[in-house]
Amino acid sequence: MVNLACSGAESRHLWPLVNEGEFQGDQAPQITRLEELAYDNDIELIVLGIGGNDMGFSDMITECMAKWVKKHWTADDDDRCWYGINDHLSLSLFDTYGKVSKSIDLVRQTMAVHGKTDPNDYRIVLMGYPAILAGFYDNRYGEGHRREFGRCPFIGDDAEFFEHTLMPKLNGLYETLAHEKSVDFVNPQYVLDGHKLCEVGSQRATPEIPATAANMEWVRYIDNPMDAGAGPDALITWLYNTLFGADNPMGEQGRLNESMHPNQFGQEALGSCLRKWWSQRGTAPSAFNCTNPNPASTQHVKVGPLAEPASVHVGGSYSIPDGELQQQDPPWRRRRPQRSPEQDPLRTRKALSRYRENCSATLRLQKMANLSRAAWRASNSRLITHIEATCGFSCATPVAPNI
């Protein structure tokens, strides 16, 4: 097995330079290195896990921690990071779709040069993302103690959004893409259940408590104490400018950019997903779900086939996940009602700015993917209706880019 992956890589770090790719530090593009390996090796499987950094996962994490600081160290309890993430989530998903699709195409082109045609000669498997953070109801730390004791400083509402909205939508998009591109897909969304960061029932090793798969978290915590320093404003500035910066020093458990990633136990569980899928795969590409019915072990995961995804085709070959993933309210919103845009002026003001940007971006998306304006509006209808009624303009008809 050869590992070409690198923390923080975006799609452009996979693509060859002639295909708008870039070096990542001193590392040549990953598909370029794949081509070099193909000269002397009989490659049977290529595991592709990409897209999260294109969506700005590290920026999302930083923003969510800043909202936690504002809530617990200042009087500002009116904002959540999920507001801003959700406002432009549909556009982010479409952008990620196009980049991951391009990555698959470039892998195939590279392998075809060496006479290999999948799935007869090798397989491409698109690996989804596991949920890594305890939600609103299953965090073992009180919300105000999550920085000092838990190293997981996230507001409950934001954590729920990641688990019940962002991850299902992203993995749903990957499943649809894998089906359209005729590659395999493994969805590990629930494989870390029982061992997510700060989750009830899990813990961290101490001199008195040895680390075992049965009792430990399977995710790295935020590897920095995030001390207050000169106060909340200084800490927030530090979060935005330094937390995931390239010059951040080594932490207790390795480089900080490994925080919020599966640790050794988590990687073993994900590896088990791949091994089980490989042993059960058929002759044609298909999608599998990976769960862990025995949380005491990383080796006893269970994989099973997923039904063919339902898609909404929006011109050309573009598609989005079905309504279950893309448009329904997430379960956590049903069991714990959230404030509507009408009740939340701050969210409305921020959404208005992003909405203006999205109107312009929609025009670019139409050109890129034959995406209809109606499709974009459909996934944001409730907030759009309120903004249009309040501000007196519409994106229902073609608009100038500077609307």
Side-chain angles (χ1 to χ4, degrees):
M1 184 185 74
V2 178
N3 180 19
L4 301 179
C6 188
S7 295
E10 300 177 14
S11 293
R12 58 195 170 94
H13 298 126
L14 273 67
W15 306 337
L17 298 180
V18 295
N19 299 108
E20 302 178 292
E22 298 179 13
F23 273 66
Q24 185 180 9
D26 60 354
Q27 297 293 311
Q30 294 177 30
I31 293 177
T32 299
R33 287 183 281 152
L34 171 66
E35 183 173 17
E36 295 170 355
L37 288 170
Y39 279 108
D40 301 315
N41 298 274
D42 182 18
I43 297 174
E44 297 183 15
L45 172 64
I46 298 172
V47 181
L48 187 61
I50 194 68
N53 291 314
D54 292 297
M55 293 188 69
F57 271 8
S58 62
D59 291 337
M60 293 179 189
I61 291 169
T62 301
E63 182 72 16
C64 291
M65 289 192 292
K67 300 304 184 190
W68 181 91
V69 171
K70 288 181 179 180
K71 176 179 179 180
H72 291 280
W73 291 1
T74 73
D76 183 1
D77 188 23
D78 292 328
D79 204 2
R80 301 290 184 268
C81 72
W82 78 263
Y83 295 171
I85 296 171
N86 195 56
D87 285 340
H88 58 80
L89 182 57
S90 293
L91 292 175
S92 295
L93 288 170
F94 279 121
D95 182 61
T96 300
Y97 179 105
K99 290 178 178 178
V100 177
S101 178
K102 177 178 177 178
S103 296
I104 294 173
D105 291 341
L106 291 174
V107 167
R108 280 188 166 139
Q109 292 174 21
T110 297
M111 298 301 289
V113 171
H114 297 274
K116 286 184 170 287
T117 305
D118 67 307
N120 299 318
D121 301 320
Y122 73 102
R123 299 291 276 269
I124 298 174
V125 58
L126 184 59
M127 195 75 175
Y129 282 84
I132 61 174
L133 180 63
F136 191 98
Y137 298 94
D138 55 359
N139 196 304
R140 66 180 184 271
Y141 298 100
E143 195 175 273
H145 299 290
R146 291 177 188 172
R147 177 195 65 86
E148 182 179 1
F149 299 109
R151 302 285 182 87
C152 55
F154 299 94
I155 298 172
D157 294 348
D158 293 334
E160 286 288 306
F161 174 81
F162 272 82
E163 182 174 8
H164 294 294
T165 299
L166 183 61
M167 289 298 102
K169 286 189 175 184
L170 182 57
N171 285 321
L173 187 70
Y174 282 0
E175 183 185 357
T176 301
L177 175 61
H179 176 71
E180 292 188 346
K181 305 297 286 188
S182 296
V183 300
D184 294 281
F185 170 69
V186 174
N187 182 4
Q189 181 171 332
Y190 305 107
V191 77
L192 304 184
D193 279 5
H195 300 276
K196 296 193 291 279
L197 181 62
C198 293
E199 189 170 12
V200 170
S202 62
Q203 55 189 340
R204 295 177 192 148
T206 69
E208 295 77 29
I209 304 175
T212 68
N215 63 0
M216 291 292 111
E217 293 173 342
W218 292 359
V219 180
R220 287 177 177 262
Y221 55 82
I222 299 293
D223 194 7
N224 192 286
M226 294 170 285
D227 294 328
D233 291 339
L235 176 56
I236 290 171
T237 299
W238 177 85
L239 285 172
Y240 285 133
N241 296 338
T242 310
L243 179 62
F244 290 107
D247 297 329
N248 210 298
M250 295 287 284
E252 298 169 8
Q253 49 175 195
R255 294 204 65 85
L256 189 61
N257 60 6
E258 293 297 327
S259 298
M260 302 294 289
H261 286 71
N263 61 19
Q264 175 184 333
F265 296 123
Q267 296 292 356
E268 288 176 358
L270 293 171
S272 296
C273 290
L274 280 174
R275 285 193 297 273
K276 293 288 182 70
W277 161 77
W278 183 255
S279 66
Q280 297 182 32
R281 75 191 189 284
T283 56
S286 57
F288 281 77
N289 200 40
C290 184
T291 58
N292 193 4
N294 180 12
S297 170
T298 62
Q299 305 302 314
H300 296 151
V301 301
K302 181 179 180 180
V303 298
L306 288 167
E308 180 177 316
S311 304
V312 179
H313 288 267
V314 195
S317 61
Y318 237 67
S319 68
I320 59 176
D322 61 17
E324 179 181 357
L325 293 174
Q326 186 72 9
Q327 296 181 21
Q328 286 188 359
D329 281 342
W332 64 271
R333 191 177 293 174
R334 292 196 290 272
R335 61 175 190 257
R336 189 174 185 273
Q338 301 294 309
R339 293 189 301 173
S340 69
E342 296 85 348
Q343 297 170 317
D344 194 340
L346 180 59
R347 183 187 176 199
T348 298
R349 291 197 302 271
K350 292 189 173 184
L352 174 58
S353 175
R354 293 188 180 92
Y355 179 64
R356 290 177 181 272
E357 297 172 1
N358 288 347
C359 285
S360 301
T362 302
L363 298 176
R364 294 193 295 273
L365 276 173
Q366 280 186 290
K367 182 177 181 181
M368 179 182 72
N370 295 319
L371 173 64
S372 71
R373 192 178 304 277
W376 178 76
R377 288 176 58 85
S379 61
N380 297 275
S381 58
R382 184 164 172 263
L383 186 57
I384 288 173
T385 299
H386 171 63
I387 292 174
E388 289 181 343
T390 303
C391 305
F393 64 81
S394 172
C395 263
T397 57
V399 294
N402 63 348
I403 184 172

